[in-house]
Structures are given as structure tokens and as C-alpha cells.
Amino acid sequence: WRALAALGKTLTEIVRSVQFTSEQVASSSSVLLDITQKNSAGIAVKIINNSSFNTISQSTAIANSASEALGITNASYNIISQSYVSNPGGYGAYLSGADSHHNTISRSTITGGAGVAALLLDGSASSNTITQTYIANTGAGPGEGAKLSGNANNNTIGQSTITCNSTSAALYLAG
């Protein structure tokens, strides 16, 4: 590693097959592969405040709280792929903030419940892409599958399945 740094090469942190038990905050240009992240009292994975160009792949984020399993707040150009994100007690994934843009969630499963959306894009989160992803609100009470609100503009959800177990909308769009 030191030899690469001496050559002025950019180093990417690669973590494989690790299990964490508390909230992790990603920095920039990290690659997390085959990670299991569990937090029964809060957020499992959170990417915040200008953290960018992170990749989380083939990983699991599980929470059981009123928060989210995966939170991306004011962070951009992050990729979540081939991952399982679940929170029966709240949001599965929550993208928020005006600086949350150009993030991608692909080929993943997102589940949530307890009266809120499984996937929420809010607070001016824009130009994010959700593709080839199964999104389900598995809670018994009200709650959407996917909800876009609060000036969350120019986001794309494509080639995905969105469901909910309640009388709420599977897909809810609000200004």
C-alpha cells in the first residue's frame, strides 16, 4: 500500500466478508463487498455529508428500528448493487438532501414496514436511479412501497417491482 501511495496512486479501501454490528458511516471512494451490517436500535448503513463514489455490493443491511436500514443523506455518486436491505420497523432505504444525487441502487431487494415507505426519496434528493430492484413494504399497517416527495425530482425507478401489504399505494408521488 505504501508503495502505491508513494507513486501517487489512488487507493480504494476494499473490505470483504466482514460483519459489523453498529452503524457505519462510509467515506469516499470505498468499496464494501460481501458485508453484513445489523443494527436493531438504529441505522445499519449510513452514507452522509459529501461521501461519494462508494460502492456497496453483494451485502446485507438489516435494521429493526424507526430509522432506516440504509440511509444516504447529502451524498452523491454512490452505488448499491446486488444487496439486501431490510427494516421491518421502518424505512428500508431512505435517500434525502439536496446533495443526494446520482446514486444508484440496482439488482437489490429493499423491504420496510411499520407505517412508512420501504423506499423513500425525500428532501430534494434528485437524479437517483433505482433499477432491477424488488421494493416491498411488508408491514401490516399503512405504508407505501416507494415514496417520492419533498422535491425529489428527476429520479428514475425502472425494471423494478414495487409492492405493499396495506391499502396504501405501492408507488406514491408527492410534491
Side-chain angles (χ1 to χ4, degrees):
W1 290 79
R2 290 185 182 155
L4 288 174
L7 294 172
K9 300 292 182 185
T10 302
L11 297 178
T12 300
E13 177 184 342
I14 299 177
V15 182
R16 293 186 71 99
S17 302
V18 176
Q19 181 168 339
F20 297 104
T21 55
S22 63
E23 178 179 334
Q24 297 295 308
V25 178
S27 59
S28 293
S29 301
S30 296
V31 175
L32 305 175
L33 179 63
D34 194 19
I35 298 298
T36 298
Q37 176 69 11
K38 298 178 181 178
N39 190 346
S40 60
I43 301 165
V45 175
K46 186 147 185 139
I47 304 172
I48 60 171
N49 299 338
N50 299 314
S51 295
S52 57
F53 301 102
N54 295 294
T55 299
I56 298 174
S57 184
Q58 300 172 11
S59 297
T60 300
I62 299 174
N64 192 10
S65 69
S67 298
E68 61 270 16
L70 168 66
I72 300 176
T73 304
N74 290 317
S76 58
Y77 298 99
N78 297 290
I79 298 171
I80 313 299
S81 69
Q82 297 175 308
S83 294
Y84 177 75
V85 177
S86 179
N87 183 7
Y91 301 106
Y94 185 5
L95 284 73
S96 66
D99 289 329
S100 287
H101 55 84
H102 296 95
N103 295 293
T104 300
I105 300 175
S106 67
R107 296 179 290 161
S108 296
T109 296
I110 300 170
T111 65
V116 297
L119 169 67
L120 176 62
L121 280 77
D122 194 23
S124 299
S126 63
S127 302
N128 297 290
T129 301
I130 315 298
T131 185
Q132 297 175 345
T133 295
Y134 177 75
I135 304 162
N137 187 314
T138 57
E144 300 82 9
K147 181 177 182 178
L148 285 74
S149 63
N151 293 318
N153 298 317
N154 301 314
N155 293 292
T156 301
I157 299 177
Q159 299 176 332
S160 297
T161 299
I162 305 170
T163 67
C164 67
N165 283 346
S166 71
T167 57
S168 298
L171 176 62
Y172 183 86
L173 306 173

